[in-house]
Amino acid sequence: MEERFSNHRDEPLTSDDLNVCDSVLRDLTAEYDLPERDALRLAAIIIELYRQGVHDPEQLKLLSGATRE
C-alpha cells in the first residue's frame, strides 16, 4: 500500500535527494571551514530548503550560505 502525504514537505527524501543535500553541505563546509556544530545547523537549513522546493544545488548553496551572514 502506497503511503500518501498531505503535504509534499512530509514526503521522505530519496537517496538522490540526500546526495544533492550532502554535496551542497560538503561544498559549503569546505568553503567556510565550519566546525561540526555549525555544519549540523547548516545541514538542517539545506534540508529544509530542499523540502520547500529548492532543488538546484547552486540555489541551495546561495540560499543556505546566506544564512551565515
Side-chain angles (χ1 to χ4, degrees):
M1 184 170 158
E2 185 177 316
E3 191 170 349
R4 295 186 187 222
F5 297 92
S6 61
N7 187 334
H8 179 67
R9 291 178 55 199
D10 294 333
E11 293 180 14
L13 296 176
T14 67
S15 294
D16 291 337
D17 297 334
L18 292 173
N19 286 337
V20 171
C21 293
D22 182 58
S23 175
V24 170
L25 178 63
R26 288 176 187 269
D27 288 350
L28 289 176
T29 54
E31 181 178 335
Y32 295 123
D33 191 30
L34 296 176
E36 184 177 349
R37 184 179 70 122
D38 292 342
L40 291 173
R41 181 177 174 275
L42 182 59
I45 291 167
I46 291 167
I47 289 172
E48 182 59 29
L49 288 168
Y50 196 91
R51 287 187 179 279
Q52 290 178 14
V54 181
H55 294 172
D56 178 66
E58 292 306 314
Q59 282 187 313
L60 280 169
K61 288 178 194 175
L62 181 67
L63 293 171
S64 59
T67 63
R68 296 217 2 94
E69 298 176 15

